[in-house]
Amino acid sequence: EVGEAFPVWRHKKDRGLKALTEPVLLKLKHVGGSDDSTCFPLHSTNQHLSVMVEPVVGLGELLKYLLRVTPATDIRYLAHCHELVGATIQNTNSNERATVLAFEVLHADLPLPIHTIRCETSGEKKRVLLGMQEYLIEEPAAPCSRTGAAMAPNFQSKILGFKVWLCCIHAAGGSEAYPLLLEELQAMLRERIGPTHGLQTEATARPRLTESRPSMQQMLQRALQAASGHEVNALATIAEELSRAATALAAAVNHGDGTATGSIFQVGVDPSMRVHNVMVAVPEEIPLEVFWPMVREDITGAVQEFYPRGLPAQVQESLMSGTARDGAVPIARRLTLEEAETLAARVAHLAQTAVAVDMVALQEV
């Protein structure tokens, strides 16, 4: 026998190096902030995350996944997000320049930090998760304060500091509890300034959401401190946030039929037949126009490996537009079952995937 035998770890019989492509389950636990109280624990989502990844996946890819599914509760980062509004940024990958128009915490099941930008060349407005992109700040909006200055007593714009704390409360408490937390903060502000501004306070005290959550109590107190001397403006800001929450809730009710996940057809076909499609389910908690740009580049790169002669026009169009059908985006067509399952496993850390039999292709065989 000519050749050299290398030692190979075999966790299954006759698997060899193929084991490196089989996804493994990682369980991740959210840890609390540091002692400086600038990062707060999450109350809005499960503290544990489970994700299927290939053994050779890079740490950077895992971090990108966490950015897509974890709200930001670091007050310094949220202050930076607000400071970007009005700035001109440049994407280091595409060299596309854009102006940052607005910032908000998404009022959805996942309260992610979302910026609205306007592209310089096309004039198109987009809502993006800037933490997922590599960009440079070409022209800052204004002389930037030190990161985290929203917490400091001498912050130059107290109302901006107050808005930063509202974002932190939203992200940590979740969109469902956010209106109630706003009302609690509203009552605290009215109690403080009621005697001097003629505001009526509720005579009947009701249980507070923060009574059993010390970290939430701390955030409300910090927001109250940031509003000191600007209580009337802070109350107006709370009213705007309550209105935004009500609008988002009304929109969710109007579209309450939800989205269905891509179905897997249980059809007895030859696994070697090129009649299998791969679908990516669109998360219900994230709008499609926000979700698809976050994952499109990574998914396209994975799909291209299965089409060495170039992407078919239909596949390329689907990847570019991200058009969802029955709650799922088709990312690859006419693969063997093994190829389809391999591709589904490779992008499983980006979104929920499914393999379906293409009935049209099956009839053509």
Side-chain angles (χ1 to χ4, degrees):
E1 181 180 351
V2 180
E4 184 176 357
F6 294 93
V8 176
W9 174 58
R10 296 175 181 270
H11 77 296
K12 289 184 179 180
K13 185 178 180 181
D14 298 330
R15 296 301 288 168
L17 290 176
K18 194 172 183 179
L20 295 178
T21 65
E22 295 181 348
V24 296
L25 178 65
L26 289 185
K27 294 185 177 181
L28 309 173
K29 180 180 179 181
H30 185 273
V31 296
S34 55
D35 295 336
D36 59 2
S37 298
T38 62
C39 186
F40 296 86
L42 292 172
H43 298 280
S44 57
T45 59
N46 196 331
Q47 299 292 317
H48 297 79
L49 289 173
S50 297
V51 57
M52 296 293 293
V53 299
E54 291 183 353
V56 293
V57 69
L59 182 60
E61 295 300 315
L62 188 58
L63 291 176
K64 286 183 178 180
Y65 169 76
L66 291 176
L67 284 174
R68 283 191 292 268
V69 299
T70 308
T73 60
D74 190 317
I75 196 68
R76 297 165 297 184
Y77 177 72
L78 292 171
H80 170 69
C81 289
H82 274 279
E83 291 172 352
L84 283 177
V85 177
T88 300
I89 61 175
Q90 181 180 27
N91 189 304
T92 56
N93 293 323
S94 64
N95 293 324
E96 175 74 31
R97 299 175 79 247
T99 302
V100 183
L101 302 178
F103 170 72
E104 65 177 327
V105 172
L106 192 64
H107 200 86
D109 291 344
L110 274 180
L112 299 175
I114 300 296
H115 286 87
T116 301
I117 64 173
R118 183 177 59 237
C119 299
E120 189 176 80
T121 54
S122 64
E124 179 186 4
K125 290 184 180 180
K126 298 179 180 178
R127 299 170 74 198
V128 297
L129 185 61
L130 277 184
M132 291 290 299
Q133 300 187 7
E134 297 181 8
Y135 62 91
L136 299 174
I137 302 176
E138 288 197 342
E139 299 177 14
C144 293
S145 59
R146 294 180 60 185
T147 304
M151 302 178 299
N154 60 347
F155 186 49
Q156 60 180 350
S157 175
K158 282 293 188 69
I159 199 62
L160 178 58
F162 179 73
K163 290 180 178 180
V164 171
W165 280 108
L166 290 187
C167 289
C168 190
I169 292 169
H170 188 174
S175 296
E176 184 176 353
Y178 185 49
L180 298 178
L181 293 169
L182 286 175
E183 291 177 359
E184 189 170 327
L185 181 58
Q186 187 181 55
M188 295 166 66
L189 284 168
R190 286 178 173 173
E191 184 178 354
R192 173 189 286 184
I193 67 172
T196 58
H197 289 76
L199 293 178
Q200 298 293 327
T201 57
E202 295 182 2
T204 304
R206 58 182 177 180
R208 295 183 174 182
L209 289 179
T210 57
E211 287 182 352
S212 60
R213 301 176 179 180
S215 62
M216 293 301 301
Q217 287 183 352
Q218 183 183 4
M219 279 185 277
L220 288 188
Q221 290 297 329
R222 302 289 278 275
L224 199 62
Q225 180 184 0
S228 179
H230 303 269
E231 287 86 356
V232 175
N233 290 333
L235 284 171
T237 301
I238 289 179
E240 292 174 1
E241 284 295 285
L242 286 171
S243 176
R244 185 173 74 93
T247 301
L249 179 60
V253 171
N254 291 336
H255 297 84
D257 53 342
T259 55
T261 56
S263 59
I264 304 177
F265 294 96
Q266 300 297 330
V267 182
V269 298
D270 187 345
S272 63
M273 295 173 63
R274 293 191 169 276
V275 294
H276 301 87
N277 298 344
V278 181
M279 319 288 288
V280 169
V282 180
E284 295 184 2
E285 62 271 17
I286 306 178
L288 177 62
E289 67 270 16
V290 175
F291 165 74
W292 190 245
M294 294 192 302
V295 300
R296 178 172 53 200
E297 183 177 350
D298 293 334
I299 288 179
T300 301
V303 172
Q304 286 174 337
E305 297 181 12
F306 293 84
Y307 296 96
R309 297 183 180 180
L311 294 175
Q314 196 172 10
V315 172
Q316 188 171 8
E317 181 182 355
S318 179
L319 290 172
M320 288 300 297
S321 63
T323 303
R325 298 177 182 176
D326 296 327
V329 178
I331 63 171
R333 298 175 181 274
R334 305 201 175 196
L335 301 176
T336 66
L337 179 60
E338 182 179 4
E339 290 173 339
E341 290 181 341
T342 301
L343 175 58
R346 288 188 180 180
V347 299
H349 65 288
L350 300 172
Q352 183 179 356
T353 59
V355 175
V357 172
D358 190 329
M359 301 307 295
V360 175
L362 184 62
Q363 294 175 0
E364 295 175 353
V365 176

